[in-house]
Amino acid sequence: MDSSQFFGIASIAYILAMVSYIAYLVFRNGTIGIIATTITAAGLASQTIAFILRGIEFHGIGQMGFMRAIPLTNLYESLVFFVWCLIGGYLIIEWKYKSRSFGAFITPIAGMALAFIDISGMDKSIHPLIPALQSNWLLAHVTMSFIAYATFAISFATAIMYLAVTTDKKDASYSFWTITLGVFLAILIGMGIDFLVFRVAESSPEAFIKSHLFKATFRNSSGFIAALSYAAAAGFIFIVWKYGSALKRIITSFSIEPDLLDDLTYKNIAIGFPIFTLGGLIFGAIWADQAWGRYWSWDPKETWSLITWFVYAFYLHARFLRGWRGANIAMVAVVGFISTIFTYLGVNLLLSGLHSYGGQ
């Protein structure tokens, strides 16, 4: 078996785990919870094997040293590594806090990342490193960046859970998290419709998103279809807002304390922030100097990385020096992950710059 087959097994396992964790949360059946954990662990093991095999295959093509054979050279590989970090981090949390309830909120992020890979039709083949990537700083910069992204994703999930548990419809923070979640899901659905409509006609999978992003829905040439898409999205977001309180009842039925969710959000950001600072910004600047002859060039990826850094720096500043607690600080964590997602994917897909090879 090669790496793609193990990646396929891991993808199926994570999707099954996502369904199992949601079923566990709804039916509160301990057996289903054990099955969900088992499937998740099996998926992580399969993905680990796949990652090692892909590294060996990559090394065979490029005949490079170990440090340059790490398969983190394009959007597909970085997404796969992000999911690996996310699932690994989640299993540590499940083991430490003896609670499987978080799985219903964290595994969907992994499931959506895997769905995005297939929806976008991105290239999964192995290519030799381009000159800009032939640096040993690649391992430190990219690996640490995605470890930080994974901790930010976990903080996003726990912050959403915190907001769901502690807010009511009369609160502005309730509208914030339900609308954010609704928009997040509406965007994914829109991209899925793009895939169904355009993929057959697209000869270059990598150009799919840049050529057709939301062209089947929100950016359709037909004004009627575009207006209908916005109306459908608004209706969907309203439904999420209307029935968001149901999530509160489900979470509280597992006796998950809001303080625990707040603590998990803080700890993941406290771990991810210095890793992102060192790996994403400092090591990235060193790598940029080697690749392009300057430490900082205000490339869109660099600019948005700095914006993301400021958001999480504000989170820690507000918590420690301003004493922020509760819904306000949880909303900052959610905003931080939105900025992270745009830095990670939005810049590659919507903007151009020196990091554009990351989208190929």
Side-chain angles (χ1 to χ4, degrees), residues 3 50-60 69-71 126:
S3 61
F51 206 73
I52 294 172
L53 290 177
R54 190 171 178 94
I56 294 172
E57 295 163 3
F58 191 54
H59 180 268
I70 303 299
I126 300 175

Side-chain angles (χ1 to χ4, degrees), residues 55-124:
I56 294 172
E57 295 163 3
F58 191 54
H59 180 268
I61 291 176
Q63 292 298 311
M64 297 168 291
F66 170 77
M67 295 288 284
R68 296 181 185 179
I70 303 299
L72 290 171
T73 59
N74 55 34
L75 187 58
Y76 166 69
E77 292 169 348
S78 65
L79 271 172
V80 169
F81 183 68
F82 167 75
V83 171
W84 185 84
C85 293
L86 184 66
I87 295 297
Y90 163 69
L91 287 177
I92 292 173
I93 290 174
E94 182 181 307
W95 169 75
K96 183 173 181 179
Y97 292 93
K98 312 299 180 189
S99 175
R100 295 188 172 93
S101 305
F102 304 110
F105 296 87
I106 295 175
T107 54
I109 297 176
M112 284 188 281
L114 295 172
F116 177 78
I117 290 173
D118 284 332
I119 286 173
S120 63
M122 65 181 63
D123 187 7
K124 300 177 183 177

Side-chain angles (χ1 to χ4, degrees), residues 286-297:
I286 296 172
W287 179 26
D289 180 59
Q290 290 189 351
W292 305 308
R294 53 188 183 277
Y295 291 101
W296 194 268
S297 57

Side-chain angles (χ1 to χ4, degrees), residues 269 273 306-324 328-333 335-336:
I269 292 176
F273 182 74
L306 188 61
I307 291 172
T308 300
W309 186 88
F310 274 121
V311 173
Y312 285 112
F314 176 78
Y315 175 96
L316 294 174
H317 171 82
R319 188 180 179 93
F320 279 113
L321 299 183
R322 297 291 181 181
W324 282 25
N328 288 338
I329 201 71
M331 286 193 289
V332 176
V335 171

Side-chain angles (χ1 to χ4, degrees), residues 9 21 29 60 66 99 103 107 137 151 162 194 207 237 247 253 284 293 303:
I9 293 173
Y21 276 117
N29 185 305
F66 170 77
S99 175
T107 54
W137 289 103
T151 63
Y162 179 88
D194 286 337
I237 294 168
L247 195 58
S253 68
T303 303

Side-chain angles (χ1 to χ4, degrees), residues 252-287:
T252 52
S253 68
F254 281 84
S255 303
I256 299 176
E257 294 295 329
D259 288 344
L260 172 62
L261 297 170
D262 178 66
D263 188 55
L264 276 173
T265 302
Y266 158 69
K267 285 181 177 176
N268 276 282
I269 292 176
I271 292 172
F273 182 74
I275 295 175
F276 182 66
T277 302
L278 186 64
L281 297 184
I282 297 177
F283 289 171
I286 296 172
W287 179 26

Side-chain angles (χ1 to χ4, degrees), residues 187-258:
I187 289 174
L188 195 67
I189 293 170
M191 293 177 67
I193 296 173
D194 286 337
F195 172 76
L196 294 175
V197 173
F198 294 115
R199 185 182 182 185
V200 175
E202 181 57 59
S203 58
S204 174
E206 282 70 30
F208 165 71
I209 290 181
K210 287 189 175 179
S211 301
H212 302 302
L213 185 65
F214 301 135
K215 291 291 181 64
T217 52
F218 307 112
R219 298 171 61 198
N220 196 289
S221 57
S222 167
F224 174 75
I225 294 178
L228 185 63
S229 300
Y230 279 107
F236 177 77
I237 294 168
F238 174 77
I239 290 173
V240 175
W241 175 83
K242 179 74 175 178
Y243 297 101
S245 55
L247 195 58
K248 177 178 182 177
R249 291 193 293 272
I250 294 174
I251 296 174
T252 52
S253 68
F254 281 84
S255 303
I256 299 176
E257 294 295 329

